[in-house]
Amino acid sequence: MIMKKIPLTVFASITLFLLNIVSLYGQDAQSANQTGHYPKQSWGFIGPLGTYDMASVQRGYMVYRKACASCHTIKYMRYADLQQTGLTLEQIDKLAAMDRMLDGKDAQGLDHYRAATVEDFLPPPYANDMIAKNANVGKLPLDLSRYAMTVGGQADYITAILLGYRKAPESFHFDQPGFYYNIYAAGHQIAMPPPLTKDGIKYTDGVSASIEQQARDVATFLSWTAHPHLVERHRIGIMIFIYGIFVAILIIFVKRKVWSNVK
Ligand code: HEC
């Protein structure tokens, strides 16, 4: 009888402990499931204790706005979401006011624009997908709201594709005119023109805006837009983990007490 009960409690404790570890690591397992051959980098937000470098997220937003927003939407993000990066509503209002929102028609029936406000979702660059495709040799610049969540779309890949443009070898055959040679793109060709330029942006926090830095910052920003609650989830995970250890200890303790008289 005792022999049967003891392994059961120990088994229960170990199971609880393992479940906790799974709950902590499980959400990052997908991030680690990357395909393709491109350089792996270290990111502060990967791993069970990961947090975002919010200065990098803020710089990444500036890169997105300057170098990506003319083609890609981030339609599920509101300007106000930037509060999570540590910006105040006044600062965000100033950023939003730099962008124009379509706001119905004017008296002549022409499109009327107004300045964006903190309440708005980020504006789309094209009126619809058809126009977007026509402007990009038939390829749709995808919405980047959740891109970094997709398998193969993680920060390493985003950085690689942004830095992977090279001069095409003489013998290389493009499937279609208007494509660009990129060593990390499928078939080594992509419809997106190289979006980042050296000195294309000046950071206000003194960080030097090399192409590599811009790529890292925008990849960090896109990871944040895809997982804005990551840090919160990690905090809850850790609390569950500590709670689990507590329960495991309690089970062992109760078991000892209950069976202490049984000889
Ligand atoms: C001139 C328009 C344009 C700009 C500017 C632009 N992109 Fe793109 N992007 C595209 C198009 C078009 C595609 C689809 C390419 C294809 O399917 O060949 C694309 C594809 C992508 C992809 C997916 C690549 C893949 O392998 O599927 C990512 C990631 C991406 N862009 C990120 C960015 C980021 C980040 C920026 C800003 C730094 C940016 N893009 C700027 C047009 C653009």
Side-chain angles (χ1 to χ4, degrees), residues 233-245:
R233 278 190 292 136
H234 281 175
R235 204 174 300 137
I236 294 170
I238 297 205
M239 268 151 57
I240 294 174
F241 185 72
I242 293 170
Y243 176 75
I245 292 178

Side-chain angles (χ1 to χ4, degrees), residues 25-40:
Y25 281 88
Q27 64 209 22
D28 293 311
Q30 200 191 346
S31 327
N33 180 19
Q34 292 170 331
T35 50
H37 299 285
Y38 39 84
K40 303 279 182 276

